[in-house]
Amino acid sequence: MSPSPRTAPPSTSSVYTFVEDLRAEGVERVLDRILGTYGCDTLTVAAAYHRARDVTPHGPARVTLRRDGAHFPPPADLFEGARLTPPVQPGADREPLRELRHRTAERGAALHGWTVFLHNTTLGLAHPDVTQENCFGDRAAPADLCP
């Protein structure tokens, strides 16, 4: 008896995006382009990200200044007693990720997220003792948190 042929998993293609870009351009317009024009079946969004200055050719401004923080309000007790608490992005209380999950599901698309918590200028400047220290004892990179 010969082994049964293996079937390849369905192909998945995704575009990485940011909540700020979805807000600026409009969720429906972005989803139309990514899921329709580009033919992708997945959207991957930055759920928590770091400060950055990015070129944004589709946005109303060609450069977007991003802030440190999460685009979701963490449960109130999650960081209880912790010294470091990730900043929360403006507008996180409107739950943009929940809305995006509903909108992608309506279109039959998957939604993935990624987070960056150990690259955070806001926390590094407030708590320099938790940033990386070089061989000279300097803490010159406030965004580089060291767990």
Side-chain angles (χ1 to χ4, degrees):
M1 183 162 26
S2 62
S4 61
R6 294 182 132 201
T7 57
S11 65
T12 300
S13 57
S14 183
V15 169
Y16 286 71
T17 190
F18 296 89
V19 170
E20 298 92 343
D21 300 333
L22 293 161
R23 278 190 194 126
E25 194 174 349
V27 173
E28 293 303 322
R29 186 173 178 187
V30 172
L31 291 179
D32 286 346
R33 187 171 60 253
I34 291 171
L35 304 176
T37 305
Y38 297 167
C40 295
D41 57 7
T42 304
L43 180 69
T44 303
V45 65
Y49 204 64
H50 57 84
R51 187 181 297 190
R53 182 184 68 216
D54 295 332
V55 175
T56 49
H58 294 284
R62 299 298 178 211
V63 175
T64 298
L65 300 176
R66 303 191 196 287
R67 298 170 52 161
D68 294 316
H71 286 284
F72 56 91
D77 62 343
L78 185 61
F79 296 102
E80 189 174 320
R83 186 168 153 230
L84 301 180
T85 302
V88 176
Q89 294 281 359
D93 57 330
R94 293 191 298 272
E95 299 187 357
L97 301 176
R98 181 184 306 268
E99 176 192 0
L100 192 56
R101 186 177 68 219
H102 292 302
R103 299 236 188 136
T104 52
E106 288 172 353
R107 293 171 177 245
L111 177 65
H112 295 252
W114 90 90
T115 61
V116 177
F117 287 106
L118 293 178
H119 187 84
N120 193 302
T121 304
T122 302
L123 290 177
L125 289 172
H127 306 279
D129 62 304
V130 301
T131 61
Q132 292 179 4
E133 182 178 348
N134 67 22
C135 62
F136 303 106
D138 299 324
R139 296 185 183 272
D144 300 336
L145 305 183
C146 186

